[in-house]
Amino acid sequence: DQFAENHFIRTIIEEDLQSGKHIAIQTRFPPEPNGYLHIGHAKSICLNFGLAYVYDGKCNLRFDDTNPEKENQEYVDSIKEDVQWLGFQWEGEPRYASDYFDQLFDFAVGLIKEGKAYVDDLTAEEMREYRGTLTEAGKNSPYRERSIEENLDLFMRMKNGEFADGSKTLRLKIDMASGNINLRDPVIYRIRRAHHHNTGDKWCIYPMYDYTHAVSDAIENITHSLCTLEFESHRPLYDWVVANTPVTGKPHQYEFSRLELLYSITSKRKLNQLVTENHVSGWNDPRMPTISGMRRRGYTPEGLRLFAKRVGISKSENIVDMSVLEGAVREELENSAPRLMAVLNPIKVTLTNFEAGKTQSRSAAFHPNHEEFGERDVPISPTIYIEQDDFAEEPPKGWKRLTLGGEVRLRHSYVMKCDEVVKDANGQVVELKCSLDHDTLGKNPEGRKVKGVIHWVSAEHATPIKVRLYDRLFTVERPDAVRGDDGEYVPFTDFLNPNSMQEITAYAESVVNDLPPESRWQFERIGYFVTDRFEHKQGEMPVFNKTVGLKDNWQA
Ligand code: ATP
Ligand code: MG
Ligand code: MG
């Protein structure tokens, strides 16, 4: 199948289905709507929705929205769009953890009544001191032994807005001496007067992530709750919450390793900083490792799913080179993108023996393996453009392209010989005078082999296009993991590549005139390009973004 195979989570699921522990599986993808999704989320989406697909189960989309200040509707909308664009559909309506705020509150009251939760007055700083360290047990808060009645009263008054933000919390009463710091009386509610994108101003107390997540999974009858490895040590707390709240679901949490991409960043918070500090044009800037940025760059859902399959699922480190991502995207586009010719760095070629009426054009297929993509006419005129670097006056050894006195095949057209080089006052080559072999349209020349084939466009027929060329956004492999001499992290923004984008004018075959946005093409011998999703407008100069080159040039 098209999803990552044979990983340990699939083994667990297959055992659970075989043993009858579960009749069907239910997964969920639980993003916090505090930014746009990135390539790491794509891995998690393909995992969760992919498992539901493979095992005939269901996958929910749930917004984990417990931090009102950082969350908003724009992020909710973009997340839905990105999941669907990747090719997945969640079960029913999207869920919101905030839809469970009433239940979460009632369960918290229940925990207080059972003596399993208490209201604490310690400040955040005091709480840190009381928590202890890895090697040293924590200390009980002086408020830990409040009576159930007092706790119930205080918690209601917290809810009713009687106390200042941050002045009180509700904590689980578990074990301040636990070897697992997450079990040292974790906070499950805090006071925060903040407008919430979903519940408005209804609440001034908000539940914490661990509590909310476990309860939400149980409410939704999630069977396999998949998250990244940093939550491994939270699992005992997750299990505690499931065991101590009146939920029917019995979800189990499993952890896999987070995807990291070299020369990139996979953290919404840091990507947000790139946006707010204007280092990029927005979350969907084609240089961003966001799903919407990669979409705008021309990556396909199929290419991203192929990438997710290739990186696989495991518990070992998952740091991946950009070439793996680009390789998957390239591989998929090779078969799916029609082809045309465009010249990015033109040099003028005058055809000295062009004869109107006699010099013919040819029709050429848009893809060698896809007849159904159709054909177009490839017209020729007395002036054509070729790439500057397809000509060398003094060619290196093994040169197959054009040189003075040499011949090349013009792709889909004639064999052409260079007879004369025209230079300007500085000795720069500004024009080539060439002649066509009129007996070579659609056939090989007599008595000699012409090895080189180059792309070109007819000056008279070509359409000028805007092309944005991209390079890596960062100049180092791990931009957010570089330490300076003082041992402190260097700001990752210090490693932004100042030359990550270049805009040029190029010339393309006139088929580019009528393209809709997000039309993906191979420019022969160069790479894959896409008409910009937002700035390409029919009737105006076409705008293309370079998706990826034909060859891997990351290693260079
Ligand atoms: P970020 O730090 O970028 O905000 P997060 O883990 O806080 O990441 P969430 O919105 O909470 O982001 O993530 C939703 C789901 O996506 C979670 O289940 C999380 O484990 C998964 N996820 C996030 N980043 C990655 C990653 N780099 N690799 C794999 N899965 C990821
Ligand atoms: Mg998170
Ligand atoms: Mg986060």
Side-chain angles (χ1 to χ4, degrees):
D1 55 55
Q2 56 167 317
F3 302 104
E5 288 155 19
N6 295 329
H7 54 76
F8 72 100
I9 298 175
R10 286 187 68 156
T11 308
I12 291 167
I13 289 175
E14 281 169 22
E15 285 168 3
D16 287 349
L17 289 172
Q18 230 148 47
S19 71
K21 180 176 175 192
H22 298 296
I23 303 160
I25 65 157
Q26 172 78 59
T27 58
R28 85 289 171 264
F29 173 63
E32 183 182 354
N34 62 345
Y36 282 56
L37 300 180
H38 52 63
I39 185 73
H41 295 109
K43 169 178 170 170
S44 176
I45 291 169
C46 290
L47 174 65
N48 282 293
F49 285 94
L51 288 171
Y53 177 86
V54 171
Y55 296 105
D56 240 346
K58 291 170 181 168
C59 181
N60 290 348
L61 172 64
R62 183 200 314 140
F63 293 100
D64 228 320
D65 52 351
T66 54
N67 286 311
E69 297 96 331
K70 293 181 191 159
E71 300 161 358
N72 67 47
Q73 191 60 38
E74 177 194 350
Y75 298 144
V76 169
D77 294 339
S78 72
I79 289 169
K80 289 191 221 167
E81 180 175 70
D82 289 349
V83 170
Q84 288 181 317
W85 179 77
L86 269 180
F88 300 106
Q89 186 57 49
W90 48 87
E91 181 64 23
E93 290 296 312
R95 326 280 167 127
Y96 295 85
S98 54
D99 288 341
Y100 311 133
F101 280 174
D102 285 314
Q103 257 165 303
L104 286 156
F105 179 81
D106 291 344
F107 291 174
V109 169
L111 288 167
I112 295 174
K113 285 182 178 165
E114 292 175 19
K116 292 173 180 169
Y118 62 97
V119 173
D120 199 355
D121 294 1
L122 290 184
T123 64
E125 198 180 320
E126 288 166 335
M127 217 181 277
R128 231 179 337 250
E129 281 164 26
Y130 276 77
R131 189 175 297 129
T133 62
L134 275 177
T135 50
E136 195 187 323
K139 283 185 300 184
N140 286 351
S141 163
Y143 305 98
R144 198 176 198 259
E145 299 310 326
R146 277 176 165 154
S147 70
I148 289 175
E149 291 66 36
E150 188 182 4
N151 282 321
L152 282 174
D153 175 60
L154 288 173
F155 189 50
M156 287 301 166
R157 289 165 61 194
M158 277 170 68
K159 182 198 181 198
N160 293 337
E162 290 188 28
F163 306 117
D165 282 16
S167 63
K168 284 184 168 42
T169 57
L170 184 71
R171 299 178 71 177
L172 295 179
K173 194 188 271 192
I174 306 183
D175 180 8
M176 287 307 292
S178 172
N180 184 331
I181 293 185
N182 295 304
L183 294 180
R184 293 186 190 168
D185 291 9
V187 172
I188 61 167
Y189 268 92
R190 66 222 194 285
I191 306 172
R192 190 153 302 180
R193 284 167 180 78
H195 186 81
H196 189 284
H197 75 100
N198 193 25
T199 57
D201 296 315
K202 177 175 174 191
W203 297 89
C204 67
I205 56 172
Y206 289 98
M208 300 294 284
Y209 173 83
D210 284 311
Y211 173 65
T212 308
H213 197 82
V215 170
S216 305
D217 279 351
I219 289 174
E220 293 178 15
N221 283 307
I222 302 301
T223 54
H224 300 79
S225 174
L226 313 177
C227 62
T228 43
L229 272 177
E230 60 286 12
F231 291 99
E232 196 166 27
S233 64
H234 297 235
R235 195 187 331 130
L237 173 55
Y238 181 97
D239 291 341
W240 190 99
V241 172
V242 171
N244 288 280
T245 48
V247 288
T248 47
K250 283 278 168 281
H252 197 295
Q253 174 182 305
Y254 300 93
E255 307 86 19
F256 63 97
S257 51
R258 238 181 139 76
L259 171 74
E260 281 180 65
L261 197 59
L262 292 179
Y263 292 100
S264 192
I265 272 177
T266 43
S267 149
K268 285 194 232 104
R269 184 178 60 76
K270 290 171 191 162
L271 294 173
N272 191 17
Q273 193 183 333
L274 292 178
V275 174
T276 52
E277 293 178 3
N278 293 312
H279 298 296
V280 293
S281 65
W283 284 97
N284 58 21
D285 186 300
R287 293 166 293 183
M288 290 282 269
T290 51
I291 295 177
S292 54
M294 294 187 289
R295 172 178 180 178
R296 200 164 162 203
R297 178 84 172 249
Y299 289 16
T300 58
E302 295 81 4
L304 289 175
R305 294 201 302 262
L306 180 60
F307 170 71
K309 174 177 176 168
R310 287 201 176 145
V311 300
I313 299 294
S314 75
K315 281 182 177 281
S316 45
E317 206 173 59
N318 196 202
I319 305 178
V320 177
D321 199 90
M322 196 63 99
S323 61
V324 180
L325 175 58
E326 293 196 336
V329 168
R330 186 186 294 117
E331 199 171 304
E332 198 280 314
L333 284 170
E334 181 178 0
N335 195 43
S336 66
R339 301 173 186 185
L340 60 77
M341 294 193 286
V343 174
L344 301 195
N345 298 300
I347 179 168
K348 180 180 165 186
V349 174
T350 303
L351 300 173
T352 53
N353 64 343
F354 187 94
E355 285 180 56
K358 187 174 169 224
T359 307
Q360 304 288 311
S361 64
R362 273 190 86 198
S363 180
F366 279 122
H367 195 288
N369 310 327
H370 289 286
E371 223 177 277
E372 74 280 12
F373 286 5
E375 320 192 319
R376 83 291 193 191
D377 190 55
V378 182
I380 187 162
S381 64
T383 305
I384 66 171
Y385 296 126
I386 67 168
E387 298 286 352
Q388 285 169 21
D389 61 7
D390 276 337
F391 174 79
E393 209 176 359
E394 285 162 46
K397 245 180 122 178
W399 181 256
K400 294 203 189 82
R401 294 172 265 166
L402 194 61
T403 184
L404 184 59
E407 286 183 308
V408 286
R409 161 78 64 186
L410 295 175
R411 173 87 167 137
H412 301 308
S413 191
Y414 296 91
V415 167
M416 174 181 90
K417 181 176 177 192
C418 178
D419 305 307
E420 192 186 331
V421 180
V422 182
K423 294 182 183 170
D424 66 11
N426 303 320
Q428 278 288 103
V429 179
V430 290
E431 183 187 344
L432 303 173
K433 298 206 173 184
C434 298
S435 50
L436 300 175
D437 180 339
H438 277 100
D439 200 25
T440 54
L441 193 63
K443 58 180 171 178
N444 285 323
E446 297 273 321
R448 63 198 198 278
K449 275 218 173 77
V450 175
K451 285 212 188 105
V453 182
I454 64 172
H455 62 275
W456 60 284
V457 291
S458 159
E460 188 180 300
H461 303 93
T463 300
I465 59 173
K466 243 186 239 176
V467 176
R468 287 102 166 239
L469 304 170
Y470 299 104
D471 197 354
R472 57 189 86 183
L473 188 52
F474 293 98
T475 54
V476 295
E477 282 192 343
R478 313 275 309 263
D480 51 356
V482 178
R483 289 177 194 269
D485 295 335
D486 56 1
E488 297 292 317
Y489 282 115
V490 179
F492 65 94
T493 47
D494 284 11
F495 302 107
L496 280 161
N497 176 3
N499 304 312
S500 57
M501 185 183 68
Q502 189 196 351
E503 187 170 290
I504 61 170
T505 301
Y507 294 92
E509 286 185 69
S510 61
V511 294
V512 298
N513 283 333
D514 298 311
L515 300 178
E518 296 201 279
S519 177
R520 302 183 186 94
W521 292 82
Q522 183 192 108
F523 291 178
E524 290 204 49
R525 297 180 65 234
I526 304 174
Y528 296 96
F529 294 78
V530 65
T531 50
D532 191 87
R533 187 177 167 200
F534 303 111
E535 287 162 33
H536 173 85
K537 305 224 165 65
Q538 268 159 304
E540 293 176 18
M541 187 164 167
V543 181
F544 280 90
N545 300 328
K546 183 171 181 180
T547 306
V548 61
L550 280 190
K551 288 196 201 80
D552 176 14
N553 42 28
W554 280 86
Q555 312 298 349

